[in-house]
Amino acid sequence: MRPAAFITGITGMVVVAGLLLAGEARLGGGTAGEETMSGEETAAADSTPDVGEGATMSDDRAEMIARSTEPAAPPSPAPGDGVTSKPADLPQQADTAAGQTASPSAKKAVELARPMVDNAGMLSFGERRLQLAGIVPTPVDRICGPAGRQWPCGMMAKTALRLLLRNRSVSCDLETVEWKDTVTTACRLGTEDLGAWLAENGWAEAPVGSPLTAAAEKARQAGKGLYGDDPRRH
């Protein structure tokens, strides 16, 4: 074999081997790129929800998602920080304060047995006294009528109320049955309001602004009770 031919053959084999190695390296790089791409696509596919996921989402997962989207609640201020209440807190505080104020002052109908009549407008229960609301109590020593025809209208007014009650129990609007001094409130005998009864029959006058003013004026114009003649002469 000629030396030139041998050298040419060796060179050709080296070139072929180089080409084979280059092709293998290129094929290896392409496969790695494809594998990397496949991994990214797989992760993206896993993070993308299915079309029907919204319809089949469990309650626990929905609650977890809702909680994750809620804003974090601000920390409560420590006592002594000098933080003033926000406007949104005021209605709740007002409701609480109103409830605390209304509870002790709420009145309810309380039955009181056999009241004593002090005058036309004032009742007593032992040491407790109660003034009927809406009227001015008529003093027992009041005298009515013109000169020569005067009569003890105050005593007659007291007698009229006493005859109406006849030692029966009354229902009065009170906060408590253990009041002190004199309390002013409405009382009823059955469904009959005692203050209204006295005003309508002219046995007591009504102060300015009272809801019984019209009834008392009507009795005055009709000459009833204090505004009439001595009923003993009838």
Side-chain angles (χ1 to χ4, degrees), residues 64-91:
M64 182 177 62
I65 295 174
R67 289 182 177 179
S68 64
T69 58
E70 291 179 354
S76 301
D81 289 346
V83 180
T84 57
S85 301
K86 296 181 180 180
D89 298 336
L90 296 180

Side-chain angles (χ1 to χ4, degrees), residues 178-211:
E178 299 298 334
W179 74 88
K180 296 181 180 180
D181 300 326
T182 301
V183 64
T184 301
T185 189
C187 291
R188 295 164 297 277
L189 178 65
T191 59
E192 184 76 62
D193 184 271
L194 300 182
W197 184 86
L198 289 171
E200 292 169 356
N201 288 276
W203 292 120
E205 299 174 335
V208 178
S210 169

Side-chain angles (χ1 to χ4, degrees), residues 4 8 24 45-46 51 66-67 79 104 107 116 121 123 127 136 153 157 161 176-177 196 205 214 219-220:
T8 302
E24 183 178 359
D46 292 341
V51 175
R67 289 182 177 179
K107 292 184 178 182
M116 297 293 294
L123 306 178
E127 296 181 354
V136 177
C153 57
L161 179 58
T176 175
V177 294
E205 299 174 335
R220 188 188 69 81

Side-chain angles (χ1 to χ4, degrees), residues 116-124 129-142 152-165 194-199 201-206 225-226:
M116 297 293 294
V117 178
D118 293 348
N119 56 39
M122 189 76 68
L123 306 178
S124 61
R129 303 185 72 200
L130 186 151
Q131 178 177 327
L132 299 176
I135 60 172
V136 177
T138 304
V140 178
D141 58 356
R142 179 169 176 174
C153 57
M155 182 60 70
M156 295 299 298
K158 173 183 176 180
T159 302
L161 179 58
R162 185 168 55 83
L163 292 176
L164 173 68
L165 296 178
L194 300 182
W197 184 86
L198 289 171
N201 288 276
W203 292 120
E205 299 174 335
L226 307 176

Side-chain angles (χ1 to χ4, degrees), residues 26-116:
R26 182 175 298 177
L27 290 174
T31 303
E34 290 176 359
E35 291 176 355
T36 303
M37 182 68 71
S38 299
E40 294 176 355
E41 291 176 354
T42 302
D46 292 341
S47 62
T48 304
D50 297 336
V51 175
E53 183 178 2
T56 59
M57 183 180 299
S58 65
D59 294 340
D60 294 338
R61 184 173 181 183
E63 182 178 357
M64 182 177 62
I65 295 174
R67 289 182 177 179
S68 64
T69 58
E70 291 179 354
S76 301
D81 289 346
V83 180
T84 57
S85 301
K86 296 181 180 180
D89 298 336
L90 296 180
Q92 182 177 1
Q93 294 178 357
D95 292 343
T96 303
Q100 293 175 352
T101 303
S103 296
S105 62
K107 292 184 178 182
K108 58 182 179 180
V110 178
E111 185 175 350
L112 301 175
R114 297 185 299 178
M116 297 293 294

